[in-house]
Amino acid sequence: MTVSLTMYDTPRLGSISPTTGLPVPPLYPVHIAGAGVEPRVFAQVERELPPGGGIPAYRGGRKKGGRSFLLWADEGRAQPLARLVTQSADGHRMTYQVLDAAGQIIGTIARRKAFKGGGLRARWTVSQAGGPDVVGYKGRLFWWGFCWLLSPLLPFALVGAVLGNGDLPRAPRRVRWRADGRMVMEHKPSAKAVLLHVPGLDPRVGAALVALLASYGGWYRTSWDDQKE
């Protein structure tokens, strides 16, 4: 009963607003597929810019972990689906809330950077309203150790990981979330997808999660929400 939510880095080309004459921000589609689900575009994602601050203010806030996304059910931005907002961010631990179209909290996503708080791997915790917390770690310790030992640039990569967002380029990136010893969700970076392995998981939270994970592309690449335009 696995359901996949996939977000690609290539956005739908933005149009020109007939009201302002300015380019409309691009939308990034999230596709849904799986058993019992009609394959389709489930959500259209865009970054939500702060009023009055625009792109520079958003990019400045995201350096400490701040994120803000709007999820639409349609390309015309007429039907709001969900929204991801930052509850707290200090550069090391970040907590995000997923809100429904009415502004009610339907999920919480927390990220702890690697090498912070005693952890060697980035930790992601996802909570859904009425459900248990599920915890996932980026990569497996064995593959992290294997990757580090073989890397000729290990000292530089470690410095970059500590000073940057806690990630290493070309390092293990898969995240598996478990609850009571059972894997309930999985992030497959190679497929740019989040897999929901058990029924009852809200796909709106999954869509917000896949967009959030894609925004942490590492210091060696520009993430979709960090564009200068």
Side-chain angles (χ1 to χ4, degrees), residues 92-132:
H92 305 317
R93 297 174 184 267
M94 289 70 72
T95 302
Y96 309 94
Q97 292 179 335
V98 183
L99 313 177
D100 65 11
Q104 299 298 312
I105 300 174
I106 56 175
T108 301
I109 304 170
R111 180 181 188 263
R112 186 198 66 193
K113 291 177 60 174
F115 308 106
K116 304 295 182 180
L120 297 177
R121 299 174 290 170
R123 183 183 70 188
W124 291 87
T125 304
V126 180
S127 307
Q128 185 175 297

Side-chain angles (χ1 to χ4, degrees), residues 138 143-144 147-148 151 167-173 217-220:
K138 184 176 180 180
W143 290 113
W144 274 106
C147 175
W148 290 347
S151 174
D167 289 334
L168 290 177
R170 301 185 182 277
R173 297 182 296 159
W219 51 265
Y220 64 100

Side-chain angles (χ1 to χ4, degrees), residues 28 47 55 59 62 222-229:
Y28 292 78
R47 62 183 175 185
I55 294 176
R59 297 184 71 231
R62 80 183 301 283
T222 301
S223 298
W224 70 270
D225 72 317
D226 197 26
Q227 304 295 327
K228 296 181 180 179
E229 298 180 355

Side-chain angles (χ1 to χ4, degrees), residues 107-190:
T108 301
I109 304 170
R111 180 181 188 263
R112 186 198 66 193
K113 291 177 60 174
F115 308 106
K116 304 295 182 180
L120 297 177
R121 299 174 290 170
R123 183 183 70 188
W124 291 87
T125 304
V126 180
S127 307
Q128 185 175 297
D133 293 352
V134 294
V135 180
Y137 293 89
K138 184 176 180 180
R140 294 182 178 180
L141 288 175
F142 171 81
W143 290 113
W144 274 106
F146 185 76
C147 175
W148 290 347
L149 289 174
L150 292 184
S151 174
L153 301 177
L154 175 60
F156 304 100
L158 286 175
V159 171
V162 172
L163 299 181
N165 66 5
D167 289 334
L168 290 177
R170 301 185 182 277
R173 297 182 296 159
R174 178 175 292 190
V175 183
R176 293 182 173 93
W177 286 268
R178 299 181 183 276
D180 298 326
R182 179 187 181 189
M183 184 170 68
V184 297
M185 291 195 307
E186 183 179 3
H187 175 226
K188 299 184 69 174
S190 59

